[in-house]
Amino acid sequence: MQCMWCESKQAKNTTVTSYWELPDGTRAIEIKMIPSVHCVDCGMEYQEETLIEEIEDQLMLIDTKPLPNSMTYQELMDVPRFLKKNYFKL
């Protein structure tokens, strides 16, 4: 895998814990086990843009009020959506 920052071929898939602000701005939740990339050469840890969009779309399309303060990435993605996709995305 190639690092998008330093272009090293030493990047590896990993998982991380991160805090994500809910779209309504009322609070942030802890999301554990987010698929991520870690580069052993430059030290960067990041999520690919498509995954970030996936998380943000999911948070826009679900009822966030009953979400716990902490959950795994898969638990978040398993929450039923109000709509099938984000029709407001240009």
Side-chain angles (χ1 to χ4, degrees):
M1 170 171 261
Q2 184 172 346
C3 176
M4 68 179 268
W5 295 97
C6 73
E7 299 181 356
S8 165
K9 302 279 191 225
Q10 300 303 313
K12 306 279 186 211
N13 288 320
T14 188
T15 59
V16 298
T17 296
S18 185
Y19 291 87
W20 225 276
E21 185 176 351
L22 298 180
D24 64 4
T26 56
R27 64 187 174 112
I29 61 169
E30 177 185 55
I31 305 174
K32 299 180 272 189
M33 299 176 61
I34 301 171
S36 301
V37 177
H38 173 74
C39 179
V40 295
D41 285 342
C42 72
M44 287 297 293
E45 275 190 353
Y46 60 92
Q47 291 83 42
E48 293 178 336
E49 191 65 32
T50 54
L51 188 112
I52 292 170
E53 289 177 15
E54 188 178 312
I55 292 172
E56 290 178 352
D57 281 350
Q58 181 70 354
L59 289 171
M60 287 290 293
L61 298 172
I62 64 173
D63 183 5
T64 59
K65 289 183 184 20
L67 290 180
N69 290 330
S70 180
M71 62 193 319
T72 67
Y73 165 78
Q74 194 56 56
E75 289 169 336
L76 173 64
M77 300 315 289
D78 289 343
V79 174
R81 294 177 169 193
F82 289 130
L83 300 171
K84 292 188 187 281
K85 69 179 205 170
N86 187 350
Y87 295 99
F88 304 104
K89 194 170 169 181
L90 301 175

